[in-house]
Every structure is written in structure tokens, then in C-alpha cells.
């Protein structure tokens, strides 16, 4: 934890994301979803696609922030731009349920297939 905190303080987006994940789950640090959200925000702004996905998930579920499906979609799309497999599933779920974008099973299936092609287990399940 100390090394990750030091790296995050030095500007490592990956370390900042790791700290956020630890805070979100309470692993090695006190559980604090609001602080995790801030950590993910910093890391995503620095280009970390995993942090962008985590922000999308937090907005989707309303974890420490008000549920915002538009923001969830934007963060999932940012992660998809970097081809993060889980982000395809996140976008697929939004399209499948009509949460944010209009319900579109064809688009959802295409996104699940893209995630599955990248070995995302949730995308495989959703197909």
C-alpha cells in the first residue's frame, strides 16, 4: 500500500487506480467509496482506462454518487476507445436495458460479442 501511495503521489495513474480500488473495497485501506471515486477520477483524467471503467460502473450503480447513466455511458465509451474488454460489456448492458441509450438488442449483442472476443467473462455470459 505504501509503495502504491508513493507512486500515486508521484503521478502514476495506475497506482492512483489501485489506491481507489483498495478504498472502494476496503482492502488495505479504510473503505471509502467517495475517496475511491476521487482516485478513479484522477486516474481516468490521466488516461487510465480501468479507472474510466470503474467510474462508469460507479455512475451506473450510484456508488457514492447519484446514478447518472449518461456519465456511465461516457466513461464506458472512453474505456472502449482503449479496447478494455469489460467496457464493451458495460455499454452492452446499457443498450440491452435501455438505460441511457434507447433499448437496442442488436447493438447490445454486438458489444457483448466484442467483449467476448476480448475474453471478457461477463460479455460471454450476457451472450
Amino acid at each position: 500500500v505504501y509503495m502504491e501511495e508513493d507512486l500515486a503521489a508521484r503521478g502514476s495513474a495506475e497506482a492512483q487506480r489501485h489506491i481507489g480500488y483498495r478504498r472502494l473495497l476496503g482492502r488495505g485501506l479504510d473503505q471509502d467509496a467517495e475517496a475511491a471515486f476521487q482516485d478513479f477520477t484522477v486516474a481516468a483524467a490521466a488516461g487510465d482506462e480501468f479507472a474510466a471503467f470503474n467510474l462508469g460502473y460507479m455512475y451506473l450503480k450510484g456508488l457514492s454518487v447519484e446514478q447518472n447513466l449518461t456519465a456511465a455511458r461516457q466513461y464506458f465509451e472512453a474505456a472502449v476507445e482503449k479496447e478494455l474488454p469489460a467496457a464493451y460489456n458495460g455499454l452492452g448492458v446499457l443498450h440491452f436495458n435501455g438505460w441511457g441509450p434507447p433499448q437496442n438488442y442488436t447493438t447490445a449483442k454486438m458489444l457483448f460479442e466484442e467483449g467476448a472476443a476480448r475474453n471478457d467473462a461477463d460479455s460471454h455470459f450476457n451472450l
Side-chain angles (χ1 to χ4, degrees), residues 43-66:
D48 188 282
E49 64 271 22
F50 292 96
F53 173 81
N54 290 343
L55 287 170
Y57 184 82
M58 291 181 83
Y59 275 117
L60 174 64
K61 297 293 186 178
L63 297 174
S64 87
V65 294
E66 186 174 327

Side-chain angles (χ1 to χ4, degrees), residues 25-101:
L25 299 179
R27 292 187 179 168
L29 294 170
D30 290 337
Q31 189 169 17
D32 185 345
E34 291 178 14
F37 181 84
Q38 294 305 318
D39 291 325
F40 293 145
T41 300
V42 170
D48 188 282
E49 64 271 22
F50 292 96
F53 173 81
N54 290 343
L55 287 170
Y57 184 82
M58 291 181 83
Y59 275 117
L60 174 64
K61 297 293 186 178
L63 297 174
S64 87
V65 294
E66 186 174 327
Q67 185 181 44
N68 183 330
L69 300 174
T70 301
R73 181 179 182 179
Q74 290 170 342
Y75 281 109
F76 287 150
E77 286 174 346
V80 161
E81 287 178 15
K82 294 192 174 187
E83 298 190 15
L84 181 68
Y88 289 94
N89 184 67
L91 276 178
V93 167
L94 293 178
H95 283 277
F96 184 85
N97 292 296
W99 295 339

Side-chain angles (χ1 to χ4, degrees), residues 4-17:
E4 287 176 337
E5 288 177 325
D6 181 57
L7 288 169
R10 294 171 189 254
S12 168
E14 181 180 3
Q16 191 76 53
R17 173 183 29 95

